[in-house]
Amino acid sequence: MSYFSYQNGALHAENTSLSSIAAQFGTPTYVYSKAALTDHFLAYADACTAGGRPATDSLVCYSVKSNSNLAVLQVLNQLGSGFDIVSGGELLRVLAAGGDPRKVIFSGVGKTRDEMRLALSHDILCFNVESIPELHRLNEVAGEMGKTAAISLRVNPNVDAKTHPYISTGLKDNKFGVAYEDALDCYRTAASLPHINVSGIDCHIGSQLLDDAPLLEALDKVIELVDQLASENIALHHLDIGGGIGITYDDEKPVAVSAYLGRLFARIDAWREEKYQGIPLKVLFEPGRSIVGNAGVLLTEVQYLKYGASKNFAVVDAAMNDLMRPAMYEAWHGVQAVLECNVDAASHTYDVVGPICESGDWLARERVLAVSQGDLLAFQSAGAYGMTMASNYNTRGRAAEVMVDGDNQYLVRKREETSDLFALESMLP
Ligand SMILES: *Cc1c(COP(=O)(O)O)cnc(C)c1O
């Protein structure tokens, strides 16, 4: 089901017209669908409990960095989601949205002492440790606080996720996790530290994966390690396979979440049946994009049309500071005119660009559109890594965010005012 569709020639989010949202809140504005968010989360939750598997055997930890708006976190929290965070700031967001720190796991290669203290003070579920020095620092900080930190090691299974190099994280040359060959030694070190409690193992090999074969390959390598650890009496309580399932931006056909989880649990069940009958081992997931990516669009207004010798431009009021993905990864986003048919405009091929003083400030290239100045456009699939990557470049306030629920629309983040942008600055005396 699509949550963004034309009704009587006008693009809607659920039952709310995007034109009415633009009229009320202006542009550029991110618009999210609560029903889409809910359905995408439930695809994971339902696959986790398929065949009568108890809900306590798994935990879906939504990756907060993909979209950290409090209302998004609130909706997911109410559905029972856990959270995968990569900063102390994200932990505070989860708590502000009512999230349970016992369902929070903390990933990232650069955790500071302050962030560790904050997370320990809230007794989060687990730190996903990415290096030996981090392990020692965490042991120290936990010791100072009289606490024990539950950890999993992020292992780098060295599988090729076959995705964009900037979002591939499981190859041995990148900065994430500990090398597969070093993992056993790292676990032995972890097990010897007094304020560390070895709890799990995790990996996350990349993002926008269309096929689950690399994920299942990573799972096999993780399983091998769990076996080796068990033979050394290091027993784990959970196995975290990360996130990374892709979405359709254009004509991609990503594996269905239910099919992927079905295959994954089949392997895990067979292995556990053989070796670990009756021993609990929770399975964790860290999805981001596949939950929120296609639950949002970026609404923008055409400011000017420019016709040139070799290119035409539609200059809109959204820019690379609002939606960074095209400039950063040459990502493709679908563009739809909010009014399906503009009888006053002829079709032309446009590059859709923003007002920022960079040639890299483009949002879509070579799209056939029949638009006039003042028309509204919607960039599709903008719910993930859209607003969270937004900046204030060119002293542009960040966009408003609206969540639609049926025919209700809620402003879930006000548009930033210019005075907000330099409120923290001061001039010399
Ligand atoms: C970004 C990230 C995710 C989420 O990835 P998606 O591709 O959005 O599902 C999960 N785990 C970690 C450690 C991440 O950094």
Side-chain angles (χ1 to χ4, degrees), residues 108-406:
V109 293
K111 303 177 192 78
T112 65
R113 282 196 162 79
D114 282 348
E115 289 177 317
M116 288 174 174
R117 267 191 285 272
L118 178 69
L120 283 165
S121 74
H122 289 284
D123 294 318
I124 64 161
L125 179 62
C126 188
F127 288 83
N128 289 348
V129 170
E130 306 217 13
S131 68
I132 288 285
E134 182 191 336
L135 197 55
H136 287 295
R137 178 184 278 186
L138 183 59
N139 179 56
E140 232 173 79
V141 174
E144 286 159 15
M145 295 174 73
K147 296 214 175 221
T148 308
I151 67 114
S152 84
L153 283 183
R154 177 168 177 179
V155 299
N156 187 337
N158 196 25
V159 302
D160 186 355
K162 301 191 175 62
T163 184
H164 190 285
Y166 283 11
I167 50 176
S168 176
T169 54
L171 281 167
K172 65 176 189 292
D173 284 346
N174 68 52
K175 69 178 180 180
F176 297 103
V178 299
Y180 190 79
E181 302 71 37
D182 302 335
L184 273 181
D185 263 350
C186 294
Y187 268 106
R188 290 181 192 121
T189 304
S192 74
L193 295 174
H195 303 289
I196 295 290
N197 170 24
V198 175
S199 163
I201 186 163
D202 85 284
C203 68
H204 170 70
I205 61 171
S207 201
Q208 185 55 12
L209 274 65
L210 300 177
D211 183 6
D212 59 5
L215 288 159
L216 296 172
E217 195 186 326
L219 173 68
D220 286 343
K221 298 191 82 172
V222 166
I223 281 177
E224 237 176 82
L225 272 177
V226 178
D227 282 342
Q228 289 170 330
L229 289 167
S231 71
E232 300 194 17
N233 290 319
I234 301 177
L236 302 185
H237 307 291
H238 73 254
L239 179 165
D240 174 353
I241 198 69
I245 292 293
I247 61 168
T248 303
Y249 286 98
D250 184 6
D251 53 6
E252 304 91 339
K253 298 218 165 23
V255 60
V257 166
S258 57
Y260 159 50
L261 265 60
R263 284 190 276 268
L264 180 120
F265 280 120
R267 279 201 200 194
I268 291 177
D269 287 347
W271 163 64
R272 298 197 54 220
E273 180 75 15
E274 190 190 323
K275 294 190 175 151
Y276 303 99
Q277 267 186 51
I279 302 173
L281 180 83
K282 217 175 185 129
V283 181
L284 268 53
F285 301 92
E286 304 171 350
R289 191 190 310 268
S290 52
I291 289 179
V292 79
N294 271 329
V297 300
L298 174 59
L299 191 57
T300 182
E301 187 189 87
V302 176
Q303 302 300 303
Y304 302 102
L305 298 171
K306 288 178 74 173
Y307 299 95
S310 60
K311 263 192 184 299
N312 305 317
F313 296 98
V315 184
V316 297
D317 64 2
M320 65 186 283
N321 75 298
D322 299 302
L323 182 61
M324 175 81 118
R325 299 185 67 260
M328 188 151 161
Y329 314 116
E330 301 204 323
W332 192 99
H333 284 269
V335 185
Q336 290 175 297
V338 167
L339 294 182
E340 200 166 16
C341 172
N342 177 347
V343 289
D344 299 327
S347 277
H348 293 283
T349 301
Y350 293 101
D351 280 8
V352 185
V353 301
I356 284 183
C357 304
E358 299 272 349
S359 296
D361 181 25
W362 58 276
L363 295 169
R365 283 179 170 154
E366 310 212 335
R367 303 302 170 84
V368 177
L369 296 165
V371 287
S372 309
Q373 195 169 314
D375 280 5
L376 294 169
L377 298 176
F379 285 91
Q380 297 169 283
S381 317
Y385 307 106
M387 185 62 173
T388 49
M389 290 175 87
S391 78
N392 295 121
Y393 190 36
N394 280 208
T395 304
R396 289 168 49 83
R398 278 176 292 176
E401 291 176 289
V402 169
M403 173 100 61
V404 168
D405 180 9

